[in-house]
Structures are given as structure tokens and as C-alpha cells.
Amino acid sequence: MHESHDDVGVAVRDLKKGEKIGALTLEGKAAGSVKLRDNVPLGHKVAMRDLAADGHVIKYGRPVGRVTKAIGRGAHVHVHNVKTLRWN
């Protein structure tokens, strides 16, 4: 995770459904753990908390996307459930 209050963490390796993973901030501080609902490829995002549809995804301490359908804690977060805010 980039910031401790981010909604998502980034996989630093391929992750498997059912694994329990821990998250660290860029400073190396513990930022919680989660049991994975999905396989998550290297570089993709994992929901660290439940995210409601039409809400924002916080990464880098700021909104980076809009949730297009509810995302459960531990789920894979990618283009199938988030739309970027980059060009809005």
C-alpha cells in the first residue's frame, strides 16, 4: 500500500485465492491483512476494505478510480470493477 488509509494494495507477486496476505506502506509500516477472494496477478490491486458501487478507490492517498460494482475486501481490483478517473 502506498498510504495506510488507501483502499487498495498492489500485489508484489502473483497472489492466490484463499491466501492471507499482509500489507505494508511504502515506509514499511504494517497496514493490515486480508484473505484473498480471487487470484491477483503481480502489479494488480487488492481491495483492503469493502468498496461500495459508485464510490471512489483511494490509492496514493487520493481518488484514482470509480467503483463500477461493489468490491468485497480481498477481491481483485482492476478494469472489470473500476473505471479510472485519469481522464475525467
Side-chain angles (χ1 to χ4, degrees):
M1 295 175 67
H2 296 276
E3 304 285 337
S4 60
H5 58 277
D6 285 351
D7 293 325
V8 295
V10 178
V12 296
R13 63 175 173 81
D14 289 334
L15 303 173
K16 300 292 181 199
K17 179 180 179 176
E19 275 187 83
K20 185 173 181 181
I21 57 156
L24 300 173
T25 65
L26 289 175
E27 291 80 25
K29 295 180 182 177
S33 63
V34 67
K35 184 174 179 181
L36 296 173
R37 294 179 179 221
D38 307 301
N39 292 329
V40 180
L42 169 70
H44 286 223
K45 295 177 286 302
V46 175
M48 296 304 293
R49 58 188 54 87
D50 290 333
L51 302 172
D54 294 321
H56 285 137
V57 174
I58 305 298
K59 181 179 173 189
Y60 312 111
R62 65 190 66 216
V64 296
R66 183 182 55 79
V67 179
T68 58
K69 62 181 178 180
I71 303 170
R73 185 171 185 253
H76 181 204
V77 177
H78 200 55
V79 297
H80 65 282
N81 53 17
V82 172
K83 179 163 176 53
T84 185
L85 295 179
R86 181 176 288 169
W87 295 284
N88 286 347

